[in-house]
């Protein structure tokens, strides 16, 4: 096969791949913000939470040009997944839970004011599960070497076989993909209960530097929260969790994921210069 035929075949294959995915791709219009999304289930749209406005009305624009109002089913800031409900009968996409190989081609199919858009790049990193800066559990770290506009966040990332393996979002340095496994898990919980349970200690913390490391000073205590019930007071300085030195307030917060609710953690604190241990049963963070 000549080089011209190879390029022509590749071009045709990409165009066909994009055409198959395009009908399920939508534009998400919220207050002074535009993003992309896709039909996850009948009447349910998944989009990037970071690209969705915090207030105001939401409108979905479909590939056929029609516009329909949408409501928020639930949002998870930690995994960047938001679920919207809208009337419509567009066929949903079928996500692939497999991870793409490093160096393989990836196509992002998104939308701009309802019109399908596409970006071609490659998988720059394909690694194991990781935890986001906000504490969300992401089932695989997939980075794409591709440019992405803000309005294209929430679009589908497809492999060379045309299988959607995740949702494209803007990361701190590269375009990241929220993998299909994470989307199915988080969107499923949002559909069921409208929220993701998070661990709750019931304290406000301020990082402090100690002679032998880092600590977290308790600035306020929820009188009805788990820490108050365990005996922790305002002014205590947390220095260790389950016997391990505290590495920072953010690390402590990241450890309070959905799986932490109901577990017992041992907090070591300094109070008046003396170390004390408290067993705290992690609660569920109130919706407010």
């Amino acid at each position: 096969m000549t080089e011209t035929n190879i390029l022509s075949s590749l071009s045709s294959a990409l165009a066909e791949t994009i055409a198959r995915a395009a009908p399920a791709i939508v534009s998400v219009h919220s207050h002074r913000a535009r993003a992309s999304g896709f039909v996850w289930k009948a009447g349910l749209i998944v989009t990037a939470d970071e690209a969705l406005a915090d207030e105001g009305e939401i409108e979905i624009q479909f590939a056929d040009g029609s516009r329909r109002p949408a409501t928020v089913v639930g949002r998870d800031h930690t995994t960047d997944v938001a679920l919207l409900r809208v009337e419509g009968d567009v066929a949903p996409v079928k996500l692939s839970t497999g991870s793409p190989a490093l160096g393989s081609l990836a196509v992002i199919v998104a939308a701009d004011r309802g019109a399908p858009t596409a970006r071609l790049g490659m998988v720059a990193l394909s690694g194991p599960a990781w935890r986001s800066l906000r504490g969300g559990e992401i089932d695989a770290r997939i980075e794409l070497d591709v440019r992405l506009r803000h309005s294209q966040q929430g679009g589908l990332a497809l492999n060379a076989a045309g299988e959607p393996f995740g949702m494209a979002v803007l990361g701190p340095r590269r375009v990241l993909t929220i993998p299909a496994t994470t989307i199915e898990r988080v969107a499923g919980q949002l559909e069921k209960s409208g929220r993701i349970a998070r661990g709750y200690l019931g304290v406000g913390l301020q990082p402090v530097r100690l002679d032998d490391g880092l600590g977290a000073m308790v600035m306020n205590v929820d009188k009805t929260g788990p820490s108050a019930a365990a005996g922790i007071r305002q002014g205590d300085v947390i220095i260790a969790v389950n016997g391990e030195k505290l590495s920072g307030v953010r690390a402590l917060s990241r450890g309070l994921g959905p799986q932490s609710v109901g577990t017992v953690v041992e907090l070591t604190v300094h109070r008046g210069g003396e170390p004390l241990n408290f067993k705290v049963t992690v609660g569920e963070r109130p919706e407010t």
Side-chain angles (χ1 to χ4, degrees):
M1 183 179 290
T2 66
E3 182 177 346
T4 301
N5 288 339
I6 292 175
L7 291 176
S8 178
S9 297
L10 175 61
S11 178
S12 297
L14 288 173
E16 291 173 5
T17 294
I18 293 165
R20 287 195 301 269
I25 305 297
V26 301
S27 288
V28 180
H29 301 264
S30 55
H31 182 63
R32 296 181 180 177
R34 292 202 318 273
S36 298
F38 59 91
V39 182
W40 175 61
K41 288 184 179 181
L44 293 174
I45 304 292
V46 166
T47 188
D49 176 76
E50 185 72 21
L52 191 64
D54 292 330
E55 58 183 13
E57 297 179 349
I58 302 172
E59 186 179 62
I60 303 298
Q61 187 172 1
F62 290 87
D64 63 3
S66 63
R67 293 172 174 261
R68 299 164 200 172
T71 57
V72 176
V73 176
R75 306 176 64 164
D76 181 32
H77 301 297
T78 69
T79 59
D80 208 4
V81 175
L83 187 65
L84 309 176
R85 189 180 303 280
V86 64
E87 291 186 3
D89 55 1
V90 176
V93 300
K94 183 178 181 180
L95 298 176
S96 171
T97 55
S99 292
L102 179 67
S104 60
L105 290 178
V107 179
I108 296 175
V109 184
D112 189 0
R113 294 181 176 88
T117 66
R119 295 272 182 168
L120 176 64
M122 67 178 289
V123 178
L125 188 153
S126 183
W130 60 290
R131 192 180 293 273
S132 74
L133 292 176
R134 294 178 174 178
E137 296 179 5
I138 314 295
D139 293 87
R141 188 173 187 95
I142 304 170
E143 297 183 1
L144 304 180
D145 186 9
V146 64
R147 294 178 63 86
L148 194 72
R149 296 197 302 269
H150 190 276
S151 63
Q152 293 174 315
Q153 288 197 91
L156 277 178
L158 313 176
N159 61 20
E163 299 168 331
F165 61 83
M167 176 177 67
V169 299
L170 290 171
R173 298 180 183 87
R174 288 184 182 269
V175 173
L176 299 175
T177 300
I178 306 302
T181 304
T182 303
I183 293 171
E184 296 285 7
R185 170 170 52 82
V186 175
Q189 293 179 44
L190 293 175
E191 181 187 15
K192 181 179 179 180
S193 60
R195 63 192 298 264
I196 303 295
R198 298 291 171 192
Y200 181 64
L201 295 176
V203 290
L205 301 175
Q206 175 70 36
V208 293
R209 187 166 293 279
L210 307 174
D211 292 337
D212 58 349
L214 297 174
M217 178 173 286
V218 178
M219 305 302 292
N220 54 72
V221 181
D222 179 356
K223 294 181 180 179
T224 62
S227 292
I232 290 179
R233 304 175 187 170
Q234 184 178 358
D236 288 344
V237 177
I238 301 173
I239 60 171
V241 180
N242 292 331
E244 296 186 6
K245 283 188 175 182
L246 190 71
S247 59
V249 172
R250 180 174 290 177
L252 177 58
S253 298
R254 287 202 299 264
L256 298 175
Q259 77 288 342
S260 69
V261 178
T263 62
V264 177
V265 296
E266 184 176 66
L267 300 182
T268 302
V269 308
H270 273 173
R271 180 183 293 172
E274 297 294 327
L276 298 172
N277 293 321
F278 297 91
K279 292 188 181 296
V280 182
T281 300
V282 180
E284 183 174 339
R285 181 177 297 277
E287 291 190 46
T288 55

